[in-house]
Amino acid sequence: MKQAPSVGFVSLGCPKNLVDSERILTQLRSEGYEISPDYAGADLVIINTCGFIDDAVEESLETIGEALEENGRVIVTGCLGVREDEIRETHPAVLAVTGPHAYEEVMEHVHEHLPAPHDPFLSLLPPSGVKLTPKHYAYLKISEGCNHRCSFCIIPQMRGDLVSRPFAEVMHEAENLVASGVRELLVVSQDTSAYGVDTRYRPDFWKGRPVQTRIRELARELGHLEAWIRLHYVYPYPHVDDLVPLMADGDILPYLDMPLQHGSEKILRLMKRPAATEKVLERIRQWRDICPELTLRSTFIVGFPGETEEDFRELLTFLEEARLDRVGCFTYSPVEGAAANELPDHVPAELQEERRQRFMELQSGISAGKLQARVGRQEIVLVDEVHADHLVARSEADAPEIDGNVLIRGAWDIEPGDFIEVTITGAGEHDLFAEINAEE
């Protein structure tokens, strides 16, 4: 029997890119292609690139070069694909280049350079499709693109304006994922809270009734599934207030990943972001009144062009007042094509790093205090890894890969994807320590 053609795949970048990779891999498997775990066993390699910042561009170009050297037959897709001239100048031997979420175009190039088998093995493909995450959690992408024009970002140039997926299509995918064993759905997009804006919240039919294409309605329906629902990339629109009661009622996890970017209204205006920091602080207070268990994660940029010491101190004051649970901080990095590159008064790299360290020193103390306050509590955790002498799990407050873990000593007859009740016994810099409750 003739061996099926084999495709190697490398996925770089963010969770949204990971979902794109899963979709391409699902189509490849549905057409009968094998997926090779290495370059040597592949007849062709697909690289799904990231092009958001300079480091990501460099990593993508290096990976393309490595694949060409090890295999020789490479198709490039993803965000860096919009800069085809740059890719071909560096690596003229690539077979084809496409932009992001160009699934059909990628498959056309695969068919051209590696024809599909005549008899696809459709029965080998699970209803949930091919996933690159552990089987107990999955990313659920609800839209593409973004309508904002933040001055430091080129996402709209790479991925276009907002295009929301139909409500019923998202729910069908979510149901299939949960039916396949997924215990946590991580809702992602470029701007999750804008879901449905492009359709003017046009109703779709789900379970025989009309439902508005809106994030509140989607979150409520997802909350009926037997899985944790975690929201990422939530832009602070006013209607985000409607999501917090769903968290308080236990429909979705009390967790908001909300990239706020800065605390100085002057810098936020230069970034072309919402600049009402006092309103944000007041809303955070209101959210915590409604849902005391709420975990807030955010990201910030320091050293943005024009940032003075006064602006930076305003950011530190914002941090002290907001008392966020999880925070990431990045120094400003010019991105080719971003409007911020033309702003005056760029901050020297040494000063950027000094401010980042001051920022993280302050936030580390806040985060450590938040973790310490949980010692003694009983919590439900989701097991990620089972080792001979310990378990690695996560609480409702912990998203995979970006937040901390709950570490549990001992050998247990437990599987990844199990929910267990534990008592928090200690706190480290990023992680918690726990013991399984006796009834488990």
Side-chain angles (χ1 to χ4, degrees), residues 8 20 53 72 101 145 147-148 166 185 199 251 255 305-306 317 329 352 358 362 392 394 403 420 422:
D20 292 346
I53 60 175
H101 55 90
N147 287 344
H148 295 289
L185 291 171
T199 70
D251 294 330
Y255 182 101
T317 299
C329 180
Q352 285 186 333
R358 288 165 60 192
L362 172 61
V392 179
R394 288 180 293 108
D403 293 329
I420 56 175
V422 301

Side-chain angles (χ1 to χ4, degrees), residues 42-115:
D43 299 305
L44 177 151
V45 177
I46 300 173
I47 310 291
N48 192 5
T49 61
C50 178
F52 184 54
I53 60 175
D54 289 347
D55 287 347
V57 171
E58 183 178 345
E59 181 187 20
S60 293
L61 291 174
E62 287 179 355
T63 303
I64 294 167
E66 179 184 273
L68 284 169
E69 183 177 340
E70 296 291 330
N71 183 279
R73 290 164 53 80
V74 177
I75 292 173
V76 177
T77 186
C79 291
L80 188 60
V82 299
R83 294 154 64 173
E84 181 174 356
D85 291 346
E86 181 177 345
I87 293 172
R88 290 195 178 278
E89 182 180 346
T90 308
H91 300 298
V94 295
L95 298 177
V97 180
T98 82
H101 55 90
Y103 320 111
E104 294 84 0
E105 192 177 352
V106 169
M107 292 308 301
E108 287 174 6
H109 289 306
V110 172
H111 295 155
E112 177 185 354
H113 297 284
L114 188 64

Side-chain angles (χ1 to χ4, degrees), residues 17 43-44 61 73 77 97 151 154 162 207 215 259-260 291 306 329 338 365 395 403 431 433 439:
N17 233 30
D43 299 305
L44 177 151
L61 291 174
R73 290 164 53 80
T77 186
V97 180
S151 63
I154 58 171
L162 177 72
K207 303 292 186 183
I215 188 59
L260 296 171
C291 183
C329 180
S395 72
D403 293 329
D431 300 323
F433 302 93
E439 59 266 27

Side-chain angles (χ1 to χ4, degrees), residues 111-427:
H111 295 155
E112 177 185 354
H113 297 284
L114 188 64
H118 292 297
D119 299 308
F121 300 105
L122 293 174
S123 62
L124 298 181
L125 187 68
S128 59
V130 175
K131 293 295 168 186
L132 297 176
T133 51
K135 66 180 182 179
H136 61 280
Y137 71 81
Y139 293 100
L140 180 68
K141 185 159 67 169
I142 63 174
S143 65
E144 279 289 357
C146 182
N147 287 344
H148 295 289
R149 296 297 183 264
C150 301
S151 63
F152 56 84
C153 181
I154 58 171
I155 291 294
Q157 292 141 265
M158 295 189 292
R159 290 184 171 264
D161 288 337
L162 177 72
V163 178
S164 299
R165 293 178 61 194
F167 190 101
E169 179 182 295
V170 174
M171 287 304 304
H172 278 302
E173 181 180 348
E175 283 192 333
N176 285 337
L177 287 167
V178 173
S180 74
V182 167
R183 294 294 170 259
E184 179 180 13
L185 291 171
L186 301 111
V187 179
V188 297
S189 65
Q190 304 301 332
D191 183 1
T192 296
S193 45
Y195 177 67
V197 167
D198 55 309
T199 70
R200 298 185 179 180
Y201 308 117
R202 181 177 59 242
D204 195 5
F205 276 86
W206 176 245
K207 303 292 186 183
R209 58 186 173 83
V211 184
Q212 279 192 313
T213 303
R214 187 191 297 264
I215 188 59
R216 179 186 59 203
E217 282 72 11
L218 181 63
R220 182 182 292 118
E221 288 298 320
L222 289 171
H224 295 154
L225 302 176
E226 294 295 322
W228 278 359
I229 308 299
R230 191 182 302 275
L231 302 183
H232 286 271
Y233 310 106
V234 179
Y235 200 88
Y237 294 119
H239 65 253
V240 171
D241 297 353
D242 298 332
L243 295 172
V244 179
L246 297 179
M247 298 177 182
D249 291 341
D251 294 330
I252 60 177
L253 290 182
Y255 182 101
L256 271 180
D257 172 23
M258 182 174 290
L260 296 171
Q261 308 301 2
H262 213 278
S264 159
E265 295 195 1
K266 185 195 90 176
I267 297 301
L268 287 168
R269 283 192 292 271
L270 290 173
M271 290 178 168
K272 298 187 177 178
R273 301 280 295 185
T277 53
E278 285 302 319
K279 289 184 179 179
V280 171
L281 289 169
E282 178 56 31
R283 290 173 72 198
I284 289 174
R285 285 190 282 270
Q286 292 172 357
W287 295 341
R288 286 174 171 154
D289 286 341
I290 297 168
C291 183
E293 301 302 310
L294 179 64
T295 295
L296 286 171
R297 153 169 278 283
S298 192
T299 51
F300 293 85
I301 298 172
V302 298
F304 191 79
E307 182 189 71
T308 63
E309 179 64 21
E310 181 181 354
D311 297 320
F312 179 68
R313 286 177 180 169
E314 286 183 30
L315 171 57
L316 296 184
T317 299
F318 178 87
L319 272 188
E320 289 176 329
E321 294 187 27
R323 312 294 293 179
L324 303 173
D325 300 87
R326 311 285 193 183
V327 172
C329 180
F330 306 92
T331 56
Y332 170 75
S333 173
V335 177
E336 184 176 337
N341 298 346
E342 307 305 317
L343 291 173
D345 303 321
H346 281 237
V347 179
E350 297 81 5
L351 183 54
Q352 285 186 333
E353 179 57 25
E354 186 261 340
R355 287 177 179 171
R356 188 193 69 81
Q357 291 180 12
R358 288 165 60 192
F359 177 105
M360 291 309 301
E361 182 179 357
L362 172 61
Q363 180 57 42
S364 293
I366 295 171
S367 295
K370 294 267 190 174
L371 290 177
Q372 191 64 42
R374 291 166 63 187
V375 174
R377 289 177 43 175
Q378 294 187 353
E379 299 190 12
I380 300 296
V381 299
L382 177 60
V383 177
D384 277 340
E385 301 172 16
V386 177
H387 300 275
D389 59 351
H390 72 282
L391 305 176
V392 179
R394 288 180 293 108
S395 72
E396 293 182 346
D398 306 308
E401 300 186 5
I402 57 174
D403 293 329
N405 294 306
V406 179
L407 305 176
I408 304 157
R409 289 182 180 176
W412 302 92
D413 184 17
I414 286 172
E415 299 292 329
D418 286 349
F419 287 105
I420 56 175
E421 186 177 60
V422 301
T423 298
I424 307 300
T425 58

